[in-house]
Amino acid sequence: MKAILIGNRERFEKFYPDTDFANSVEKIYLTMEQAACGIPRDASDAEFLAADAIAQVPEGMMKQLPALKIIHSEGVAYNGIDCAAAAKRGIYVCNNRGVNADAVAEQTILLMLGLLRDVTAGDAAVRAGQQIQLKESMMVNGITELGECRIGLIGFGDIAKAVAERLAPFGCEIFYQASHRKDSETEKRYGVSWMERDEMLRTCDIISIHVPVTPDTIHLVNEEFLKKMRPTALLINTARGEIVDNAALKKALTEGWIAGAGLDTVAPEPVPASHPLLDIAGILFSPHIGGVTTGVFRKGHRNIWAAFEQVSKGERPANIVNGL
């Protein structure tokens, strides 16, 4: 048995689970660039494939692998995998749903607090010997506590639920909007209330994005969306960069439609030095590290190899995303 592992070899080796099954499988490591150039001939009989969450696995790649049984995303995202083509072949496509929920939720709270306390300006002021000047300025202008904020969650999957759990101790009012309203028991469990999107944009102090990338959510955060937000409001995106229209966000911040943005994800990735958002005040960036903690990778790679073993036994793996 062979498995193709597309992405960072050092990471695949570091988090590889030392199990009898995993040890019995021959592993072929390919970078994303190598995989895009074609599957090596000696790997064409591979039955299993795992790929970095941003890797491309098109139909043409699958055609080079006649024995392929399963494609597993290393993370939660799987939009680079041609799910329809895999389904036609009877190839399972799986992801690591929920594996990064706690980690991304922590990053979401970090960005909220970082913006409210303006941590970048504070760090710079202390280093420049301007601590007292900035402190006095912030006391006059005011610092908003997270507990004073009304939080609007766009989407209510695993990550948004984990965010709600972590916001509860702060005393925030938490609202959510999703494709379907949850039952009253779920709302009570997470301390959230349903709110229509337009009302949420109009009334909430912080809007946090927690939806996947689909044709319907690309540029969901556009000019119309941002113009409905409060001029004192903050936007948080720990989902995917493609959900935000960069030009619209730049305009919103330069013209004062909103007060700031915390972005763990920015499109395109990697972010070029010429990116239009990099010179805009009011943005707190993090380098898409919300879901890349050691714990996430340890659990995620354990899931990958468990799914490979299930398929090798003729069993259905967990977290199938292409309808098989």
Side-chain angles (χ1 to χ4, degrees):
M1 294 182 291
K2 294 180 182 178
I4 295 174
L5 307 172
I6 300 174
N8 184 286
R9 177 170 182 165
E10 184 178 3
R11 190 169 66 241
F12 274 109
E13 291 181 333
K14 178 177 180 178
F15 297 105
Y16 161 74
D18 187 16
T19 64
D20 290 341
F21 172 79
N23 290 332
S24 72
V25 177
E26 181 181 347
K27 301 157 195 68
I28 296 96
Y29 299 95
L30 300 175
T31 65
M32 286 187 276
E33 293 76 16
Q34 288 171 331
C37 293
I39 299 298
R41 185 172 299 177
D42 62 353
S44 62
D45 57 343
E47 299 175 53
F48 318 116
L49 187 152
D52 186 298
I54 64 171
Q56 299 296 308
V57 184
E59 183 176 15
M61 184 183 296
M62 298 178 207
K63 288 181 177 179
Q64 300 172 60
L65 298 164
L68 190 62
K69 296 178 180 177
I70 179 173
I71 302 168
H72 206 299
S73 170
E74 189 184 10
V76 177
Y78 55 90
N79 49 298
I81 302 171
D82 189 333
C83 290
K88 289 179 185 177
R89 283 265 309 275
I91 300 169
Y92 293 114
V93 177
C94 302
N95 76 336
N96 269 310
R97 177 183 174 181
V99 74
N100 66 351
D102 292 343
V104 177
E106 287 186 6
Q107 192 74 14
T108 302
I109 303 300
L110 179 149
L111 290 171
M112 291 179 182
L113 290 169
L115 285 169
L116 290 172
R117 299 290 175 135
D118 201 354
V119 295
T120 53
D123 179 85
V126 174
R127 293 176 186 277
Q130 299 293 314
Q131 177 225 339
I132 296 301
Q133 292 90 327
L134 182 62
K135 178 180 178 180
E136 290 181 346
S137 172
M138 293 180 80
M139 287 192 290
V140 172
N141 293 328
I143 300 172
T144 302
E145 296 178 19
L146 186 53
E148 300 176 72
C149 296
R150 290 162 60 91
I151 312 293
L153 306 175
I154 304 289
F156 202 63
D158 295 321
I159 294 172
K161 290 174 181 174
V163 170
E165 288 179 319
R166 284 154 178 76
L167 285 173
F170 287 93
C172 307
E173 287 186 88
I174 311 168
F175 303 92
Y176 78 98
Q177 187 273 326
S179 55
H180 301 289
R181 182 170 183 174
K182 308 303 179 183
D183 58 83
S184 59
E185 183 178 337
T186 299
E187 292 184 350
K188 183 177 180 180
R189 175 184 173 186
Y190 292 100
V192 298
S193 301
W194 170 266
M195 184 178 281
E196 294 293 344
R197 184 181 299 171
D198 282 358
E199 184 182 0
M200 180 183 290
L201 299 179
R202 182 175 57 83
T203 63
C204 285
D205 302 294
I206 300 177
I207 301 295
S208 192
I209 306 299
H210 301 286
V211 294
V213 175
T214 69
D216 292 332
T217 62
I218 291 175
H219 287 187
L220 169 70
V221 180
N222 53 23
E223 283 199 19
E224 181 183 6
F225 183 107
L226 292 161
K227 282 181 176 178
K228 292 176 181 177
M229 291 177 62
R230 296 155 60 97
T232 55
L234 304 173
L235 174 74
I236 306 294
N237 185 20
T238 53
R240 287 287 165 176
E242 293 85 352
I243 296 167
V244 175
D245 181 333
N246 292 327
L249 180 57
K250 179 176 182 176
K251 193 172 183 180
L253 288 165
T254 54
E255 297 187 9
W257 304 350
I258 65 173
L263 307 177
D264 187 48
T265 54
V266 180
E269 190 173 341
V271 180
S274 59
H275 196 283
L277 292 179
L278 296 186
D279 61 350
I280 302 300
I283 301 180
L284 176 59
F285 292 103
S286 55
H288 202 174
I289 58 170
V292 298
T293 64
T294 299
V296 167
F297 281 118
R298 187 181 297 115
K299 289 181 285 187
H301 283 250
R302 189 163 58 237
N303 291 345
I304 290 169
W305 285 97
F308 288 174
E309 184 171 7
Q310 287 174 309
V311 170
S312 74
K313 296 176 179 178
E315 301 170 357
R316 285 173 57 80
N319 298 326
I320 299 168
V321 296
N322 67 331
L324 290 187

